[in-house]
Amino acid sequence: MLEARDVSKRVRSPGGDELEILDAVDLCVPRGASAAIVGASGSGKTTLLGLLAGLDQPSAGRIVLDGHVLTDLDEERRARLRRRLVGFVFQSFQLLPALSALENVLLPLELEGAGNAVARAREALTAVGLARRLRHYPAQLSGGEQQRVAIARAFVHQPRVLFADEPTGNLDRRTGAGVIDLLFELNRAHGTTLVLVTHDNNLAARCDALLELLDGRIRAVQA
Amino acid sequence: MKALPPAWHGLRREWRLPELRTLAAALVLAVAALGAVASLGARVEQALLARAAEMLGGNLGVSTDYRNLPADFSAEAARLGLQQNRSANFPSMAFHGEASQLLDVLATDPAWPLRGHAQLAAGNGRVYDGHGPARGEVYLDQRALDALHLRIGDTLQFGGMPLRVAARLVQMPDGGELFALAPRAVVNLADAEAAGLLGAGSRASHRLLLAGAPAQIAAYARWAKAHLPGGARLITPTDVQQRLRFAFNRASTLLRLIALLSALLSGIAIALAARRYALRKIDEVALLRALGAPRRQVLGLLATRLGSIALAALAVGVLLALVLAALAWHLAQALLPQPAPPLSIAPALGAALAGLAVLLGFALPPLTRLASVPPQAVFRRSLGALRWRDRLLYLLPLPVALGLILAQGGGLKLSLGLGLSLIGVGAAAALISAALLALARHTAAHAHPALRIGLASLARRRGLSLLQSVALSLGLSALLLLAVVTPALLSQWQRELPPDTPNWFALNVQGAQRASFARQVAQAGGTELNMLPLVVGNLSTINGVPIAQQHFADAATRRWAEQTLRLSWSTQPPPGNSVVAGHWFSAQPRMAEVSVDRGWARRFGIKLGDTLGFQVGEQNLDARVTSLREVRWDSFRVNFFLLLDPAHGHSLAHNWLASFHLPPGQATRLQATSRALPNVSLIDVDSLLARLRGIVVQVGTALRWVLGFSLLAGALVLVAALTASARERRHEAALLRTLGADRRQLLLASIAEFAMLGAIAAFTGALGALATGQWLALNMLDLPHFIVPLRPLLLAMLVTVSVVTLLGLAGTHKLLSSSPLRILRQE
Ligand SMILES: Nc1ncnc2c1ncn2[C@@H]1O[C@H](COP(=O)(O)OP(=O)(O)OP(=O)(O)O)[C@@H](O)[C@H]1O
Ligand SMILES: [Mg+2]
């Protein structure tokens, strides 16, 4: 289960004054469910996703991930939790430029010290249609291909919860549909909880819940 | 000109970039180190020349044998506004009552001496600085007074005329000639001429001494060189004072070396910083190009920004150099003659030029690539393909470094040696790192997962890792070289001039007087007494051919051959002498054997097995050359070009030369000795020794100052090398963090990475320092027994690995407490 209570995020803007990005957000995604976060650009979707995944701390409020109160943990403990429980697809991919596609995907397995790592990584890349691009470096891949490497990296270690920030933003309709099918296949086969940020209505419609952010507040919830 | 406004606009923001600050700091250091050493060196050089001029009695001399100089030599000097002093030197007999004595006579006009001091003692014992004697007067040294039973005020017969003894000669500028063999007299030149002592057939050598400003002296020297009649020669202060020069040359070699290494270290730091700057600017440049800025404009923009920063750095460097030189000079003032030569800014400006060369040579390669970034880099971040022209440009630092070494006056041998060894260190570091990186890549698969990540990321960033380890190795090698060679050199000097170095010499001790002389010296408080036999003679034949019929390469060699020779003998090679060819004397050789200084042998083209004929008084001796010696002439010992085997040496007419140490200021205690043994002449060389020690102290101070620079430059290289990958590493660590890497894993990864980097650098750096240090000691610094001390080297390697690892860890540590999302957003 993933739960957020009264979560706020304030940052100091370059001008010096406080900027409220998120304001008392509440949400709840049951285990094995899928949720889509939608909203206008700059409404705070990425910020919320980062907080839910434990990549950052809220200014106020409480977040519980799979029974662990993230907001009570320090960065070190959150890191260990992420390793076991979380997969994350960044809006800007965040691949390591010095590593090949395969090596990028290997990283979470290496951190876990998992066995049979190379085979599993190769499998994950095959699943996103990049079986022939294993040795390519990010600079040699197109935007959509980089995005698929990022997705493979996010699920290769079979996380409990998978967060994805606009996972189909750079993909054509067919490839995008293939990636979405893959995510929901994971959701069904392994009970992986999905939390997606998307502008894609088709994708949003397939999710169990839909949350709309407007100026840092949850405006509407459809279940 | 269009490029200007945005350039200035961006300058303030640019200045905040750490790599530009590194670049500026490195430039300041390079210029300051080169400039300080150059201007300090120039001043010490000038001071030494001034010293030597005092010993010569003028800034320049022209001398001829047996005949007077043409009148236009004097006219030219007058035209240039130089002071002049004419003199002649010849042996002559003097009489007083029954006594007669051969004197070494200096006949001079009253202008003598132009530089330095002639110390005279009046009848009442008062010592004063005087000038050449008036007509009818003579100055005599103590030995002459004793030999002729004269007192001040008495009259002697000289060249058929009576001369009144006006003063006792205590000390005079003597061209640095330590051993004048006959008692000395100074008379008026006009008297000598009137007595007919300088006419045709006389054995007098004439001398015109000149003094004046350096520029006029140089002009005169040029003129004189072109107009010298046969048999005449120029005497410059640089010819004087060989020992001072030896010591100074070695010191200045080392000083220049240190400055140079600092500059090269700075160059490495500059190259690393420029590369990082170029990488950072790719996006900006690509965007400008995509927005339609032509290449020239982009180049102009970059050049203006960097140029203004470089200009400021150069100015600060020059200023710093001048301040440091002035300060160091101030500290060393007491050791050097006053007034101090003026501080010239020319060397500091030269250093600025050198700094500019360093900047261009080391920063240009990465920056020109930046200028050629294609507009499509907006889509795919890259510097564009590396073209051949660019590749060649990366070799630019090489000629710059070589040029620097040459410009530092290091000479071709030093330039090539140092350049080659630096290239060697760099190449070795690159090879070893490449091999180790490949190895790391393969073994990483079997390593602990965390270590694996570190090793793997080092191996994956291959180009950058290579750059880092080469830079670190070179930096370390230079630093170790300085750290290990410098103290060894300094301590060697100090060992050479221990406090009880002989500061008195005694000439003309007769064989029968040796025991009583030793007793007298001991009573006066003298220690370290050492007596050497001394034979005075001439070289008469080489391989049976008389000297007069020999063909010599030049006039100077002929003069050397005709000079009076001093020979000695010894059962063992004396300290500071080593046999480099042939063998030391056999026990009782049938034919006389002689051991020859290598330089002397080279001058006359003498080989092992040649025969030299000597004439000593009425005796003749033929000796076979059985060994060649390397003699350390800068050690403060009495050394001889020629040593005979003891058995044959003994058979020649000889007396003894003694050296001993007497605490400074105790000269009066030797009065009893000179009364008891009037034929013995005592010579005080304390002032000479003090000067030599002064140089050692001063050079030591200067070395420490300049060493500080290179330490800073080395630290800059370290920082620049480690921060070269900081951005990549920060991004990588943050990402690993989002993927759930814990503290241990991140720390282990960076330990693996940096320990490996440090180890490569330490290993190749130490190897480079070892080889270069040994080479320098043997070939440039003349330290034949120098062995690079291993323990400090090992210690330094350990320190390197630890410091590199710790610095790397410190960088990682900062990331551990902040949230990864924030770091990723900052990128
Ligand atoms: N560290 C920060 N400092 C200042 N402002 C920030 C910071 N992080 C986020 N913001 C601001 O908060 C707002 C929300 O950002 P966020 O990235 O969450 O938007 P988003 O909903 O994901 O938008 P998009 O759909 O364009 O990706 C934006 O206006 C952004 O400028
Ligand atoms: Mg976003």
Side-chain angles (χ1 to χ4, degrees), chain A residues 11-14 19-22 39-48 91 165-166 197 199 213, chain B residues 822 825:
Chain A
V11 293
R12 199 160 283 283
S13 69
L19 181 73
E20 181 118 71
I21 306 175
L22 293 175
S41 172
S43 57
K45 305 182 293 291
T46 299
T47 308
L48 178 60
Q91 191 171 8
D165 199 348
E166 301 193 25
V197 167
H199 292 298
L213 267 180
Chain B
R822 199 165 326 146
R825 266 201 204 269

PDB file of all heavy atoms in Angstrom, chain A residues 11-14 19-22 39-48 91 165-166 197 199 213, chain B residues 822 825, ligand 1:
ATOM      1  N   VAL A  11       9.590  25.115  -1.557  1.00  0.00           N
ATOM      2  CA  VAL A  11      11.019  25.337  -1.873  1.00  0.00           C
ATOM      3  C   VAL A  11      11.275  26.829  -1.863  1.00  0.00           C
ATOM      4  O   VAL A  11      10.357  27.643  -1.983  1.00  0.00           O
ATOM      5  CB  VAL A  11      11.402  24.774  -3.263  1.00  0.00           C
ATOM      6  CG1 VAL A  11      11.318  23.274  -3.269  1.00  0.00           C
ATOM      7  CG2 VAL A  11      10.547  25.375  -4.344  1.00  0.00           C
ATOM      8  N   ARG A  12      12.532  27.140  -1.684  1.00  0.00           N
ATOM      9  CA  ARG A  12      12.914  28.543  -1.750  1.00  0.00           C
ATOM     10  C   ARG A  12      13.236  28.826  -3.214  1.00  0.00           C
ATOM     11  O   ARG A  12      14.114  28.196  -3.795  1.00  0.00           O
ATOM     12  CB  ARG A  12      14.139  28.775  -0.874  1.00  0.00           C
ATOM     13  CG  ARG A  12      14.354  30.209  -0.492  1.00  0.00           C
ATOM     14  CD  ARG A  12      15.248  30.317   0.725  1.00  0.00           C
ATOM     15  NE  ARG A  12      14.524  30.008   1.959  1.00  0.00           N
ATOM     16  CZ  ARG A  12      13.675  30.844   2.561  1.00  0.00           C
ATOM     17  NH1 ARG A  12      13.420  32.017   2.028  1.00  0.00           N
ATOM     18  NH2 ARG A  12      13.082  30.513   3.683  1.00  0.00           N
ATOM     19  N   SER A  13      12.488  29.738  -3.802  1.00  0.00           N
ATOM     20  CA  SER A  13      12.723  30.019  -5.220  1.00  0.00           C
ATOM     21  C   SER A  13      13.955  30.906  -5.346  1.00  0.00           C
ATOM     22  O   SER A  13      14.374  31.535  -4.374  1.00  0.00           O
ATOM     23  CB  SER A  13      11.498  30.715  -5.816  1.00  0.00           C
ATOM     24  OG  SER A  13      11.388  32.002  -5.272  1.00  0.00           O
ATOM     25  N   PRO A  14      14.567  30.953  -6.531  1.00  0.00           N
ATOM     26  CA  PRO A  14      15.788  31.733  -6.728  1.00  0.00           C
ATOM     27  C   PRO A  14      15.621  33.185  -6.279  1.00  0.00           C
ATOM     28  O   PRO A  14      16.586  33.823  -5.870  1.00  0.00           O
ATOM     29  CB  PRO A  14      16.021  31.647  -8.243  1.00  0.00           C
ATOM     30  CG  PRO A  14      15.359  30.364  -8.648  1.00  0.00           C
ATOM     31  CD  PRO A  14      14.181  30.209  -7.729  1.00  0.00           C
ATOM     32  N   LEU A  19       8.100  29.095  -2.259  1.00  0.00           N
ATOM     33  CA  LEU A  19       7.197  28.692  -3.337  1.00  0.00           C
ATOM     34  C   LEU A  19       6.544  27.393  -2.896  1.00  0.00           C
ATOM     35  O   LEU A  19       7.233  26.425  -2.586  1.00  0.00           O
ATOM     36  CB  LEU A  19       8.015  28.492  -4.612  1.00  0.00           C
ATOM     37  CG  LEU A  19       7.232  28.102  -5.857  1.00  0.00           C
ATOM     38  CD1 LEU A  19       6.438  29.273  -6.383  1.00  0.00           C
ATOM     39  CD2 LEU A  19       8.196  27.606  -6.920  1.00  0.00           C
ATOM     40  N   GLU A  20       5.236  27.395  -2.853  1.00  0.00           N
ATOM     41  CA  GLU A  20       4.515  26.189  -2.419  1.00  0.00           C
ATOM     42  C   GLU A  20       4.230  25.342  -3.646  1.00  0.00           C
ATOM     43  O   GLU A  20       3.416  25.715  -4.501  1.00  0.00           O
ATOM     44  CB  GLU A  20       3.205  26.605  -1.744  1.00  0.00           C
ATOM     45  CG  GLU A  20       2.404  25.423  -1.234  1.00  0.00           C
ATOM     46  CD  GLU A  20       2.244  25.478   0.278  1.00  0.00           C
ATOM     47  OE1 GLU A  20       1.498  26.345   0.737  1.00  0.00           O
ATOM     48  OE2 GLU A  20       2.896  24.681   0.986  1.00  0.00           O
ATOM     49  N   ILE A  21       4.914  24.201  -3.782  1.00  0.00           N
ATOM     50  CA  ILE A  21       4.703  23.359  -4.960  1.00  0.00           C
ATOM     51  C   ILE A  21       3.538  22.403  -4.721  1.00  0.00           C
ATOM     52  O   ILE A  21       2.684  22.213  -5.577  1.00  0.00           O
ATOM     53  CB  ILE A  21       5.955  22.549  -5.303  1.00  0.00           C
ATOM     54  CG1 ILE A  21       7.150  23.490  -5.455  1.00  0.00           C
ATOM     55  CG2 ILE A  21       5.750  21.763  -6.581  1.00  0.00           C
ATOM     56  CD1 ILE A  21       8.455  22.788  -5.674  1.00  0.00           C
ATOM     57  N   LEU A  22       3.547  21.783  -3.531  1.00  0.00           N
ATOM     58  CA  LEU A  22       2.451  20.872  -3.174  1.00  0.00           C
ATOM     59  C   LEU A  22       1.826  21.370  -1.883  1.00  0.00           C
ATOM     60  O   LEU A  22       2.542  21.798  -0.970  1.00  0.00           O
ATOM     61  CB  LEU A  22       2.973  19.445  -2.985  1.00  0.00           C
ATOM     62  CG  LEU A  22       3.496  18.743  -4.245  1.00  0.00           C
ATOM     63  CD1 LEU A  22       4.101  17.388  -3.864  1.00  0.00           C
ATOM     64  CD2 LEU A  22       2.402  18.577  -5.273  1.00  0.00           C
ATOM     65  N   GLY A  39      -2.229  16.327 -14.835  1.00  0.00           N
ATOM     66  CA  GLY A  39      -2.249  17.735 -14.450  1.00  0.00           C
ATOM     67  C   GLY A  39      -1.444  18.547 -15.437  1.00  0.00           C
ATOM     68  O   GLY A  39      -0.658  18.000 -16.228  1.00  0.00           O
ATOM     69  N   ALA A  40      -1.631  19.835 -15.384  1.00  0.00           N
ATOM     70  CA  ALA A  40      -0.943  20.722 -16.308  1.00  0.00           C
ATOM     71  C   ALA A  40       0.552  20.748 -16.009  1.00  0.00           C
ATOM     72  O   ALA A  40       0.988  20.345 -14.936  1.00  0.00           O
ATOM     73  CB  ALA A  40      -1.517  22.131 -16.198  1.00  0.00           C
ATOM     74  N   SER A  41       1.276  21.241 -16.993  1.00  0.00           N
ATOM     75  CA  SER A  41       2.713  21.371 -16.788  1.00  0.00           C
ATOM     76  C   SER A  41       2.992  22.320 -15.622  1.00  0.00           C
ATOM     77  O   SER A  41       2.353  23.358 -15.494  1.00  0.00           O
ATOM     78  CB  SER A  41       3.349  21.918 -18.075  1.00  0.00           C
ATOM     79  OG  SER A  41       4.693  22.227 -17.827  1.00  0.00           O
ATOM     80  N   GLY A  42       3.894  21.925 -14.753  1.00  0.00           N
ATOM     81  CA  GLY A  42       4.249  22.771 -13.614  1.00  0.00           C
ATOM     82  C   GLY A  42       3.300  22.624 -12.448  1.00  0.00           C
ATOM     83  O   GLY A  42       3.425  23.330 -11.456  1.00  0.00           O
ATOM     84  N   SER A  43       2.366  21.662 -12.541  1.00  0.00           N
ATOM     85  CA  SER A  43       1.404  21.530 -11.441  1.00  0.00           C
ATOM     86  C   SER A  43       1.980  20.746 -10.262  1.00  0.00           C
ATOM     87  O   SER A  43       1.366  20.677  -9.213  1.00  0.00           O
ATOM     88  CB  SER A  43       0.126  20.855 -11.957  1.00  0.00           C
ATOM     89  OG  SER A  43       0.458  19.602 -12.532  1.00  0.00           O
ATOM     90  N   GLY A  44       3.120  20.129 -10.435  1.00  0.00           N
ATOM     91  CA  GLY A  44       3.767  19.463  -9.302  1.00  0.00           C
ATOM     92  C   GLY A  44       3.766  17.948  -9.391  1.00  0.00           C
ATOM     93  O   GLY A  44       4.045  17.275  -8.398  1.00  0.00           O
ATOM     94  N   LYS A  45       3.535  17.388 -10.584  1.00  0.00           N
ATOM     95  CA  LYS A  45       3.443  15.930 -10.727  1.00  0.00           C
ATOM     96  C   LYS A  45       4.777  15.243 -10.411  1.00  0.00           C
ATOM     97  O   LYS A  45       4.834  14.309  -9.614  1.00  0.00           O
ATOM     98  CB  LYS A  45       3.003  15.572 -12.158  1.00  0.00           C
ATOM     99  CG  LYS A  45       1.713  16.237 -12.593  1.00  0.00           C
ATOM    100  CD  LYS A  45       1.304  15.808 -13.985  1.00  0.00           C
ATOM    101  CE  LYS A  45       2.246  16.288 -15.073  1.00  0.00           C
ATOM    102  NZ  LYS A  45       2.228  17.749 -15.303  1.00  0.00           N
ATOM    103  N   THR A  46       5.828  15.730 -11.026  1.00  0.00           N
ATOM    104  CA  THR A  46       7.135  15.110 -10.811  1.00  0.00           C
ATOM    105  C   THR A  46       7.542  15.218  -9.348  1.00  0.00           C
ATOM    106  O   THR A  46       8.077  14.278  -8.747  1.00  0.00           O
ATOM    107  CB  THR A  46       8.182  15.787 -11.706  1.00  0.00           C
ATOM    108  OG1 THR A  46       7.805  15.612 -13.064  1.00  0.00           O
ATOM    109  CG2 THR A  46       9.563  15.193 -11.485  1.00  0.00           C
ATOM    110  N   THR A  47       7.258  16.374  -8.763  1.00  0.00           N
ATOM    111  CA  THR A  47       7.607  16.576  -7.358  1.00  0.00           C
ATOM    112  C   THR A  47       6.896  15.553  -6.477  1.00  0.00           C
ATOM    113  O   THR A  47       7.514  14.933  -5.602  1.00  0.00           O
ATOM    114  CB  THR A  47       7.209  18.000  -6.939  1.00  0.00           C
ATOM    115  OG1 THR A  47       7.764  18.927  -7.867  1.00  0.00           O
ATOM    116  CG2 THR A  47       7.696  18.310  -5.539  1.00  0.00           C
ATOM    117  N   LEU A  48       5.634  15.365  -6.735  1.00  0.00           N
ATOM    118  CA  LEU A  48       4.863  14.414  -5.929  1.00  0.00           C
ATOM    119  C   LEU A  48       5.397  12.993  -6.109  1.00  0.00           C
ATOM    120  O   LEU A  48       5.583  12.256  -5.136  1.00  0.00           O
ATOM    121  CB  LEU A  48       3.382  14.491  -6.342  1.00  0.00           C
ATOM    122  CG  LEU A  48       2.450  13.520  -5.618  1.00  0.00           C
ATOM    123  CD1 LEU A  48       2.483  13.788  -4.105  1.00  0.00           C
ATOM    124  CD2 LEU A  48       1.017  13.633  -6.139  1.00  0.00           C
ATOM    125  N   GLN A  91      11.468  11.414 -15.970  1.00  0.00           N
ATOM    126  CA  GLN A  91      10.965  12.147 -17.127  1.00  0.00           C
ATOM    127  C   GLN A  91      12.117  12.406 -18.097  1.00  0.00           C
ATOM    128  O   GLN A  91      11.980  12.349 -19.300  1.00  0.00           O
ATOM    129  CB  GLN A  91      10.384  13.473 -16.641  1.00  0.00           C
ATOM    130  CG  GLN A  91       9.596  14.211 -17.686  1.00  0.00           C
ATOM    131  CD  GLN A  91       8.867  15.409 -17.059  1.00  0.00           C
ATOM    132  OE1 GLN A  91       9.085  15.746 -15.894  1.00  0.00           O
ATOM    133  NE2 GLN A  91       7.996  16.011 -17.828  1.00  0.00           N
ATOM    134  N   ASP A 165       7.525   8.559 -14.656  1.00  0.00           N
ATOM    135  CA  ASP A 165       7.198   9.947 -14.962  1.00  0.00           C
ATOM    136  C   ASP A 165       7.079  10.069 -16.476  1.00  0.00           C
ATOM    137  O   ASP A 165       8.084  10.094 -17.184  1.00  0.00           O
ATOM    138  CB  ASP A 165       8.306  10.856 -14.415  1.00  0.00           C
ATOM    139  CG  ASP A 165       7.840  12.300 -14.281  1.00  0.00           C
ATOM    140  OD1 ASP A 165       6.764  12.618 -14.819  1.00  0.00           O
ATOM    141  OD2 ASP A 165       8.555  13.080 -13.633  1.00  0.00           O
ATOM    142  N   GLU A 166       5.871  10.104 -16.975  1.00  0.00           N
ATOM    143  CA  GLU A 166       5.593  10.180 -18.409  1.00  0.00           C
ATOM    144  C   GLU A 166       6.368   9.138 -19.208  1.00  0.00           C
ATOM    145  O   GLU A 166       7.210   9.483 -20.032  1.00  0.00           O
ATOM    146  CB  GLU A 166       5.893  11.575 -18.937  1.00  0.00           C
ATOM    147  CG  GLU A 166       5.048  12.612 -18.210  1.00  0.00           C
ATOM    148  CD  GLU A 166       5.080  13.961 -18.894  1.00  0.00           C
ATOM    149  OE1 GLU A 166       5.326  13.997 -20.111  1.00  0.00           O
ATOM    150  OE2 GLU A 166       4.848  14.954 -18.203  1.00  0.00           O
ATOM    151  N   VAL A 197       2.797   9.106 -14.059  1.00  0.00           N
ATOM    152  CA  VAL A 197       2.434  10.464 -14.422  1.00  0.00           C
ATOM    153  C   VAL A 197       2.277  10.452 -15.933  1.00  0.00           C
ATOM    154  O   VAL A 197       3.147   9.925 -16.632  1.00  0.00           O
ATOM    155  CB  VAL A 197       3.522  11.464 -14.020  1.00  0.00           C
ATOM    156  CG1 VAL A 197       3.281  12.817 -14.687  1.00  0.00           C
ATOM    157  CG2 VAL A 197       3.566  11.628 -12.518  1.00  0.00           C
ATOM    158  N   HIS A 199       0.313  12.359 -19.657  1.00  0.00           N
ATOM    159  CA  HIS A 199      -0.619  13.234 -20.364  1.00  0.00           C
ATOM    160  C   HIS A 199      -1.470  12.413 -21.328  1.00  0.00           C
ATOM    161  O   HIS A 199      -2.273  12.952 -22.068  1.00  0.00           O
ATOM    162  CB  HIS A 199       0.157  14.285 -21.180  1.00  0.00           C
ATOM    163  CG  HIS A 199       0.879  15.276 -20.334  1.00  0.00           C
ATOM    164  ND1 HIS A 199       0.222  16.118 -19.473  1.00  0.00           N
ATOM    165  CD2 HIS A 199       2.193  15.557 -20.197  1.00  0.00           C
ATOM    166  CE1 HIS A 199       1.101  16.875 -18.860  1.00  0.00           C
ATOM    167  NE2 HIS A 199       2.317  16.552 -19.272  1.00  0.00           N
ATOM    168  N   LEU A 213      -3.844  16.863 -10.451  1.00  0.00           N
ATOM    169  CA  LEU A 213      -3.200  17.912  -9.663  1.00  0.00           C
ATOM    170  C   LEU A 213      -3.489  19.251 -10.314  1.00  0.00           C
ATOM    171  O   LEU A 213      -3.387  19.401 -11.534  1.00  0.00           O
ATOM    172  CB  LEU A 213      -1.687  17.702  -9.639  1.00  0.00           C
ATOM    173  CG  LEU A 213      -1.076  16.908  -8.490  1.00  0.00           C
ATOM    174  CD1 LEU A 213       0.431  16.826  -8.673  1.00  0.00           C
ATOM    175  CD2 LEU A 213      -1.411  17.555  -7.154  1.00  0.00           C
TER     176      LEU A 213
ATOM    177  N   ARG B 822      17.235  16.346  -5.544  1.00  0.00           N
ATOM    178  CA  ARG B 822      17.769  17.699  -5.589  1.00  0.00           C
ATOM    179  C   ARG B 822      19.047  17.736  -6.429  1.00  0.00           C
ATOM    180  O   ARG B 822      19.267  18.634  -7.224  1.00  0.00           O
ATOM    181  CB  ARG B 822      18.040  18.189  -4.165  1.00  0.00           C
ATOM    182  CG  ARG B 822      18.152  19.681  -4.119  1.00  0.00           C
ATOM    183  CD  ARG B 822      18.046  20.246  -2.706  1.00  0.00           C
ATOM    184  NE  ARG B 822      17.147  19.515  -1.821  1.00  0.00           N
ATOM    185  CZ  ARG B 822      17.387  19.384  -0.525  1.00  0.00           C
ATOM    186  NH1 ARG B 822      18.470  19.885   0.010  1.00  0.00           N
ATOM    187  NH2 ARG B 822      16.540  18.745   0.245  1.00  0.00           N
ATOM    188  N   ARG B 825      18.268  17.500 -10.051  1.00  0.00           N
ATOM    189  CA  ARG B 825      17.702  18.744 -10.568  1.00  0.00           C
ATOM    190  C   ARG B 825      18.776  19.793 -10.810  1.00  0.00           C
ATOM    191  O   ARG B 825      18.654  20.649 -11.674  1.00  0.00           O
ATOM    192  CB  ARG B 825      16.675  19.304  -9.585  1.00  0.00           C
ATOM    193  CG  ARG B 825      15.263  18.886  -9.904  1.00  0.00           C
ATOM    194  CD  ARG B 825      14.281  19.843  -9.270  1.00  0.00           C
ATOM    195  NE  ARG B 825      12.970  19.230  -9.057  1.00  0.00           N
ATOM    196  CZ  ARG B 825      11.988  19.279  -9.944  1.00  0.00           C
ATOM    197  NH1 ARG B 825      12.158  19.888 -11.088  1.00  0.00           N
ATOM    198  NH2 ARG B 825      10.832  18.716  -9.686  1.00  0.00           N
TER     199      ARG B 825
HETATM  200  N1  LIG C   1      13.923  22.776  -6.494  1.00  0.00           N
HETATM  201  C1  LIG C   1      13.000  23.618  -7.000  1.00  0.00           C
HETATM  202  N2  LIG C   1      13.207  24.952  -6.873  1.00  0.00           N
HETATM  203  C2  LIG C   1      12.286  25.809  -7.352  1.00  0.00           C
HETATM  204  N3  LIG C   1      11.194  25.454  -7.971  1.00  0.00           N
HETATM  205  C3  LIG C   1      10.930  24.133  -8.142  1.00  0.00           C
HETATM  206  C4  LIG C   1      11.831  23.150  -7.659  1.00  0.00           C
HETATM  207  N4  LIG C   1      11.325  21.946  -7.947  1.00  0.00           N
HETATM  208  C5  LIG C   1      10.158  22.180  -8.604  1.00  0.00           C
HETATM  209  N5  LIG C   1       9.924  23.496  -8.710  1.00  0.00           N
HETATM  210  C6  LIG C   1       8.766  24.115  -9.321  1.00  0.00           C
HETATM  211  O1  LIG C   1       7.644  23.413  -8.904  1.00  0.00           O
HETATM  212  C7  LIG C   1       6.715  23.318  -9.944  1.00  0.00           C
HETATM  213  C8  LIG C   1       6.339  21.875 -10.163  1.00  0.00           C
HETATM  214  O2  LIG C   1       7.381  21.193 -10.718  1.00  0.00           O
HETATM  215  P1  LIG C   1       7.253  19.706 -11.289  1.00  0.00           P
HETATM  216  O3  LIG C   1       8.515  19.312 -11.901  1.00  0.00           O
HETATM  217  O4  LIG C   1       6.734  18.839 -10.208  1.00  0.00           O
HETATM  218  O5  LIG C   1       6.121  19.934 -12.416  1.00  0.00           O
HETATM  219  P2  LIG C   1       5.384  18.861 -13.337  1.00  0.00           P
HETATM  220  O6  LIG C   1       3.990  18.832 -12.917  1.00  0.00           O
HETATM  221  O7  LIG C   1       6.123  17.584 -13.328  1.00  0.00           O
HETATM  222  O8  LIG C   1       5.476  19.566 -14.747  1.00  0.00           O
HETATM  223  P3  LIG C   1       5.728  18.910 -16.195  1.00  0.00           P
HETATM  224  O9  LIG C   1       4.446  18.286 -16.641  1.00  0.00           O
HETATM  225  O10 LIG C   1       6.077  20.078 -17.026  1.00  0.00           O
HETATM  226  O11 LIG C   1       6.839  17.928 -16.043  1.00  0.00           O
HETATM  227  C9  LIG C   1       7.296  23.947 -11.168  1.00  0.00           C
HETATM  228  O12 LIG C   1       6.743  25.229 -11.314  1.00  0.00           O
HETATM  229  C10 LIG C   1       8.776  24.045 -10.833  1.00  0.00           C
HETATM  230  O13 LIG C   1       9.306  25.222 -11.364  1.00  0.00           O
END
